[in-house]
Amino acid sequence: HDDLRQSGLFPLLCRMIKNYNMKNQPASQAGDMMEALYIIIHTFERLDKTERGGFIVRQRASRRRAQLTRAGLEEGEEEVTEPRAQEKGQEKDAEATAEDAEKEGDKGPEATAKPGENAAAKEDAQPDSKEGEVGKDGEAPQEQQNKSQSMAPLEMLENESGTDSDDRMALKESTFDLNHRLSQELTAPLLINTLTFVLESYRTNSAQLNASVVGVLKRIVLPDCLNLMPCVWHLSFLLVAEKILSDSGIAKDKSFSSMVQICKYITRKLMDRLQPELTDDMDAFQKSAKQALARITFVDLLFWKNRRDAEIVRDEYGWQNKYAHREAIRKALADEDEACGAGILKSIDKLAPGAAPAMTEADEE
């Protein structure tokens, strides 16, 4: 399978979806591309499960590997050209001896011949230029033309593209990492924007198109797939989700049940983030972190997020790692001097989100 960005089916289709223009292109084209995208993803999943040892694809080799390949080719060319250089040296020696013989002959009786006779002899000695012409592959132009006419157009195209690709890049075979490739393509903000545009017409879409959109959406947000739900935490998508959930006409329709379920799942997870549940078991650090995270999430709703941003928002900006580090230091200082340990823990507590400045006048004293 071809997984190159220039010629692979999956990368090219994702690029077309990202470049979709809602103003100049019809909505049916976006729907067709979404259906094709779902079919390709479903095919990749089946191949990834059925192929033993992994699904093998053709990808571009790394720069280091490409340099090694080119270096090997250059060494092979040098080895081939060595006998040719020797042959050229022998030809030059033969030409030099011939020139010496001609100079000696000019001093003899042939030098008294008429200039016209010498010119005629030279013309007779020169072969026909058309008979001596050869093509690039060592064949006459007529033979090359006959060969090209006998080849099918697709074979000619493959030969040309094969030579161009060999000169431009080095290729390799590698195991297809499904989740990695999906996270590279499906989490692009432009693709999710097109997905939202198609989902907005859920009433007029066909059942197959709605199933395709929901299938792509599930692979982005569910934990057993990419687990990148913050990619769809945007006001544009949330407005469409609210429109679907408030539509009483599709509440009891089984064809829209999966769409309603995924919209409920996304909005509930968002509400849990915006309205955190603060229990008595939490200390001041955890409570302040939850509250600060809820405030920053309101700002995150204004922007589309790529894969890296979605991972940061999903991991809650890493405040839990800071809390675990704080607790480890607390346990380590439990047996130390109380005055020293209390001062260190006081400075650590100030690292909590929304806390007071790190240094006060009392601390400086």
Side-chain angles (χ1 to χ4, degrees):
H1 176 72
D2 187 2
D3 195 41
L4 296 174
R5 292 187 177 182
Q6 295 83 357
S7 56
L9 177 60
F10 181 58
L12 286 176
L13 180 61
C14 292
R15 193 181 309 163
M16 291 173 61
I17 296 175
K18 296 172 189 175
N19 296 332
Y20 176 76
N21 192 341
M22 304 175 188
K23 297 181 179 180
N24 300 330
Q25 295 176 265
S28 59
Q29 186 175 355
D32 295 339
M33 290 190 293
M34 281 297 165
E35 290 181 1
L37 179 63
Y38 175 71
I39 293 171
I40 292 174
I41 295 173
H42 190 61
T43 305
F44 281 162
E45 291 174 349
R46 293 182 61 184
L47 290 173
D48 193 44
K49 292 179 181 179
T50 56
E51 291 289 338
R52 295 181 179 179
F55 179 42
I56 304 299
V57 296
R58 183 177 67 176
Q59 294 180 346
R60 184 172 184 176
S62 60
R63 294 183 178 179
R64 176 65 179 169
R65 184 171 179 177
Q67 291 175 358
L68 294 175
T69 306
R70 291 174 182 173
L73 291 174
E74 290 175 357
E75 290 178 0
E77 289 177 358
E78 289 177 359
E79 293 176 358
V80 173
T81 52
E82 284 180 0
R84 293 181 181 175
Q86 294 177 359
E87 292 177 0
K88 289 182 178 180
Q90 294 176 359
E91 290 177 359
K92 289 181 179 180
D93 295 339
E95 290 177 358
T97 53
E99 289 178 358
D100 295 340
E102 287 179 1
K103 290 178 180 179
E104 292 177 358
D106 291 342
K107 297 177 181 178
E110 292 181 358
T112 58
K114 296 180 180 180
E117 293 178 358
N118 292 336
K122 288 182 181 180
E123 290 179 358
D124 294 338
Q126 289 180 353
D128 190 3
S129 59
K130 294 183 179 179
E131 293 178 358
E133 288 182 355
V134 215
K136 293 181 181 179
D137 300 332
E139 298 177 355
Q142 187 65 25
E143 294 179 1
Q144 290 182 353
Q145 186 176 1
N146 296 336
K147 185 177 179 180
S148 62
Q149 290 177 357
S150 61
M151 293 175 61
L154 289 178
E155 295 179 359
M156 295 174 60
L157 184 60
E158 288 178 358
N159 291 337
E160 294 176 359
S161 61
T163 54
D164 294 342
S165 61
D166 293 340
D167 295 339
R168 291 177 184 175
M169 67 178 69
L171 304 178
K172 66 174 181 178
E173 290 184 355
S174 61
T175 306
F176 186 72
D177 191 352
L178 181 61
N179 287 335
H180 179 67
R181 290 294 291 119
L182 292 182
S183 64
Q184 285 181 332
E185 300 292 347
L186 298 185
T187 57
L190 292 175
L191 189 143
I192 298 178
N193 188 22
T194 306
L195 178 70
T196 305
F197 173 74
V198 176
L199 184 63
E200 189 175 4
S201 305
Y202 66 95
R203 275 282 193 176
T204 58
N205 292 339
S206 62
Q208 183 178 358
L209 178 55
N210 285 333
S212 301
V213 173
V214 172
V216 175
L217 195 58
K218 285 182 177 179
R219 281 156 179 81
I220 297 174
V221 303
L222 291 182
D224 56 346
C225 295
L226 298 183
N227 193 20
L228 293 174
M229 186 182 296
C231 287
V232 297
W233 282 355
H234 190 269
L235 290 178
S236 301
F237 183 85
L238 295 175
L239 288 174
V240 177
E242 191 273 335
K243 181 180 177 182
I244 294 172
L245 294 176
S246 61
D247 192 348
S248 59
I250 64 173
K252 298 181 180 180
D253 195 343
K254 294 182 179 180
S255 59
F256 293 95
S257 60
S258 60
M259 183 183 297
V260 173
Q261 289 176 1
I262 192 65
C263 290
K264 283 182 179 179
Y265 178 74
I266 293 172
T267 52
R268 283 174 180 173
K269 290 294 182 181
L270 178 61
M271 290 300 109
D272 292 342
R273 179 70 66 87
L274 295 177
Q275 297 179 351
E277 184 179 358
L278 304 178
T279 61
D280 297 335
D281 298 336
M282 297 181 179
D283 55 12
F285 186 97
Q286 291 175 316
K287 290 181 180 180
S288 60
K290 288 283 186 181
Q291 293 172 353
L293 186 63
R295 290 193 294 268
I296 197 63
T297 305
F298 280 100
V299 181
D300 290 333
L301 297 178
L302 301 175
F303 307 97
W304 291 108
K305 291 164 280 293
N306 55 18
R307 180 184 62 178
R308 183 180 178 184
D309 298 335
E311 290 174 351
I312 294 174
V313 176
R314 179 196 62 192
D315 298 337
E316 299 180 350
Y317 292 94
W319 74 267
Q320 296 177 356
N321 296 331
K322 296 180 180 179
Y323 179 76
H325 182 64
R326 172 182 175 275
E327 291 300 314
I329 296 177
R330 182 184 292 274
K331 291 179 182 179
L333 296 175
D335 299 332
E336 297 292 335
D337 185 19
E338 294 183 359
C340 179
I344 296 175
L345 290 175
K346 184 179 179 182
S347 60
I348 293 174
D349 289 336
K350 293 176 182 178
L351 297 176
M359 297 292 291
T360 60
E361 295 180 359
D363 294 332
E364 292 178 357
E365 293 176 0

